[in-house]
């Protein structure tokens, strides 16, 4: 993501906007997230709109159609006017680069064909992301399953389950973008820039969920051992149980973070 953030590309600007949108989603600010997504599409890269779909749907559910439409319309109007004015100044005629990009890559009447610049297999992005994010990619892909596993424990409080849902919402643009761009014949590394932040949200979610599962499992093991030691009497409640749970949860999460960081450092050193 460091390489992506320093690239002077439209998809890099879209990545920054989607990162802000993910932060707004986590904060419950859905209209601001929609505005950031509009900026990503109009001032950045039009195809970033694919990654923005989950945030738009979440806004419709959270604040309603009217408020979502208002937030999108205002940001669309202002950013489109700015984009059109800049294009007109530098091209010397009335044109809109956003529409030109879509026409060239999507519509056949322009004679454009992105496949002229090369095609790749459907596994291109998985291989590319594995090279860039190593274990974090695997953790991100496993995030939904890790959240479901953690939610099945009766010890999981409702607030924790709600936090899992919010994290998975912020993560959702990644699998959608991965599926969409993998289905296209022409592929470039920069196309997935817009999903880098959601990918890392998914990896962090998986790490937290694994930590929670380890904590809950440790709590049950501690309670069971305590009951055996007392001849089946008591369930091992108290500070000792909670400390043991916290130690197992934090230890598992920290181990994943250290492993991912070590893999990233090893790659940098190898290069």
């Amino acid at each position: 993501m460091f390489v992506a953030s320093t690239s002077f590309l439209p998809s890099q600007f879209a990545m920054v906007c989607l990162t802000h949108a993910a932060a707004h989603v986590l904060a419950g600010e859905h209209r601001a997230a929609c505005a950031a997504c509009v900026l990503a599409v109009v001032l950045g890269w039009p195809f970033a709109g694919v990654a923005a779909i989950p945030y738009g749907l979440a806004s419709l559910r959270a604040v309603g159609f009217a408020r979502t439409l208002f937030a999108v319309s205002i940001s669309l109007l202002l950013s489109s006017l700015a984009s059109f004015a800049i294009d007109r100044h530098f091209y010397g005629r009335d044109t809109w680069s956003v529409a030109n990009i879509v026409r060239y890559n999507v519509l056949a009447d322009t004679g454009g064909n992105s496949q002229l610049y090369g095609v790749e297999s459907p596994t291109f992005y998985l291989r590319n992301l594995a090279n860039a994010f190593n274990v974090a990619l695997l953790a991100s892909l496993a995030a939904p399953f890790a959240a479901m596993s953690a939610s099945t424990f009766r010890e999981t409080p409702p607030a924790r389950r709600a936090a899992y849902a919010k994290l998975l919402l912020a993560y959702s643009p990644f699998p959608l973008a991965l599926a969409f761009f993998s289905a296209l014949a022409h592929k470039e590394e920069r196309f997935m820039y817009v999903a880098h932040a959601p990918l890392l949200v998914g990896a962090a979610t998986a790490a937290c969920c694994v930590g929670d599962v380890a904590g809950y499992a440790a709590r049950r093991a501690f309670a069971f051992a305590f009951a055996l030691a007392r001849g089946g009497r008591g369930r091992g409640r108290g500070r000792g149980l909670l400390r043991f749970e916290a130690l197992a949860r934090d230890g598992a999460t920290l181990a994943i973070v250290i492993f991912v960081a070590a893999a990233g450092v090893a790659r940098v050193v190898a290069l």
Side-chain angles (χ1 to χ4, degrees):
M1 191 170 180
F2 172 78
V3 175
S5 64
T6 57
S7 302
F8 196 64
L9 295 168
S11 52
Q12 181 270 344
F13 179 82
M15 179 192 74
V16 173
C17 292
L18 262 295
T19 301
H20 281 282
H24 286 303
V25 166
L26 290 175
E29 301 167 349
H30 295 283
R31 287 178 291 178
C34 288
C37 290
V38 171
L39 294 180
V41 171
V42 177
L43 299 182
W45 189 48
F47 298 102
V50 173
I53 291 175
Y55 295 165
L57 295 176
S59 180
L60 289 174
R61 181 178 180 181
V63 302
F65 177 79
R67 292 183 178 181
T68 300
L69 179 61
F70 180 78
V72 171
S73 299
I74 293 299
S75 55
L76 179 62
L77 176 63
L78 296 178
S79 59
S80 296
L81 289 176
S83 177
F84 184 82
I86 293 172
D87 290 341
R88 189 178 188 280
H89 173 76
F90 284 100
Y91 287 107
R93 59 187 176 87
D94 292 337
T95 186
W96 193 26
S97 57
V98 175
N100 295 338
I101 293 173
V102 175
R103 285 187 61 204
Y104 180 85
N105 288 278
V106 178
L107 303 180
D109 62 341
T110 61
N113 184 0
S114 61
Q115 296 184 27
L116 294 173
Y117 304 100
V119 297
E120 295 288 346
S121 69
T123 62
F124 172 80
Y125 289 118
L126 285 175
R127 291 184 280 113
N128 183 269
L129 292 172
N131 183 54
F133 290 95
N134 56 74
V135 186
L137 173 64
L138 298 178
S140 186
L141 293 173
F145 307 101
M148 287 188 292
S149 299
S151 298
T152 58
F153 282 80
R154 65 174 181 269
E155 293 90 346
T156 306
R160 199 69 169 176
R161 291 190 175 95
Y164 295 156
K166 184 175 289 187
L167 286 168
L168 289 179
L169 173 60
Y171 155 80
S172 59
F174 167 61
L176 180 61
L178 178 63
F180 176 80
F181 291 120
S182 294
L184 300 180
H186 176 60
K187 300 176 179 66
E188 296 182 38
E189 179 183 9
R190 63 187 178 92
F191 290 178
M192 283 299 295
Y193 283 1
V194 295
H196 279 187
L199 184 158
L200 294 175
V201 170
T205 301
C208 291
C209 290
V210 169
D212 287 343
V213 169
Y216 299 146
R219 175 193 290 190
R220 293 186 179 185
F222 185 90
F224 180 74
F226 186 85
L228 286 179
R230 298 193 60 181
R233 295 171 298 164
R235 300 180 60 183
R237 299 176 183 270
R239 293 183 178 179
L241 187 151
L242 296 177
R243 289 176 180 175
F244 190 66
E245 176 187 347
L247 180 63
R249 179 182 63 247
D250 296 343
T253 303
L254 183 61
I256 295 174
V257 173
I258 292 175
F259 186 77
V260 172
V265 172
R267 178 176 179 269
V268 172
V269 173
L271 293 176

